[in-house]
Amino acid sequence: LAGLRTQQFDWVLNMLEKSEQYLPRDYRENALMFNYAQVYFYQKDYGKVLQHLQQVEYQDPAYALNSRNLLLAVYYEMGQIDPLYSTINSFRTYLKRQQQLSERLRTGYRNLLTVTQRLSKATNREETAIKKIQQKLDANPGTASRQWLQAKLDELKAGQRPW
């Protein structure tokens, strides 16, 4: 993630290729597909993200949560509202059914879903809606993907949302 956040994509891709052989066979394909999806997300190649996420098996709770989170972000970034809302609804259902997840973790992801949905509905002219979104983020520091949400809120405030 540090390499991705600093846009060291060649280094990250090289590291993935070199590390592949050290991953346990049972987890190798899943790990690679998810990590390549992350690389493509940071490169803003959302079509490739979707292709790779289709190959990730959601049996492991970490992959299930992180893949859904990434899918949510892709649909938001692309302005694909119907798939975004569908993903939000299915993600909420998943969180309700996964009793083994801690309440803190479920709350963090529920907040992610709520804020993402509010962001998708708001426009930069709706000061009240923007303030409520900011208050929700400020009041809930454990919100999943909080930095990404704040960046999307800042884009919205500045009238720079790409869609």
Side-chain angles (χ1 to χ4, degrees):
L1 282 176
L4 293 174
R5 289 179 180 152
T6 57
Q7 299 183 352
Q8 301 297 313
F9 302 125
D10 291 337
W11 179 84
V12 172
L13 290 169
N14 186 35
M15 187 61 86
L16 282 174
E17 289 172 16
K18 285 182 179 179
S19 302
E20 179 179 344
Q21 63 185 339
Y22 300 110
L23 295 170
R25 286 189 197 274
D26 293 345
Y27 304 102
R28 185 176 300 162
E29 186 73 19
N30 231 22
L32 288 172
M33 289 302 114
F34 177 75
N35 282 292
Y36 277 111
Q38 281 192 303
V39 170
Y40 294 128
F41 179 78
Y42 277 85
Q43 291 178 332
K44 301 182 189 304
D45 191 342
Y46 302 125
K48 285 187 179 178
V49 175
L50 294 174
Q51 288 173 355
H52 282 78
L53 284 179
Q54 287 175 344
Q55 298 176 55
V56 175
E57 293 182 22
Y58 290 5
Q59 293 171 341
D60 180 274
Y63 282 118
L65 290 169
N66 290 320
S67 294
R68 284 177 169 89
N69 188 351
L70 197 52
L71 188 60
L72 183 83
V74 166
Y75 288 139
Y76 180 89
E77 295 286 358
M78 294 174 69
Q80 298 290 318
I81 300 304
D82 288 338
L84 174 66
Y85 291 165
S86 178
T87 301
I88 288 171
N89 291 331
S90 68
F91 203 161
R92 275 198 180 107
T93 301
Y94 176 80
L95 291 171
K96 285 179 190 175
R97 291 181 179 164
Q98 300 306 307
Q99 296 302 312
Q100 81 275 16
L101 298 176
S102 71
E103 189 56 37
R104 187 178 134 271
L105 192 62
R106 278 200 297 250
T107 299
Y109 279 102
R110 281 188 207 117
N111 289 338
L112 164 68
L113 300 174
T114 299
V115 172
T116 303
Q117 190 164 21
R118 287 180 185 177
L119 279 169
S120 71
K121 292 179 178 181
T123 67
N124 64 335
R125 294 184 197 108
E126 296 177 281
E127 291 180 27
T128 303
I130 288 172
K131 283 182 185 177
K132 285 183 180 180
I133 294 168
Q134 187 66 64
Q135 288 170 347
K136 179 84 171 166
L137 281 175
D138 292 344
N140 296 287
T143 298
S145 295
R146 193 173 187 289
Q147 289 179 324
W148 176 79
L149 290 168
Q150 187 63 58
K152 297 301 114 184
L153 181 57
D154 292 344
E155 279 180 8
L156 179 64
K157 288 177 186 177
Q160 296 174 340
R161 182 166 58 192
W163 45 272

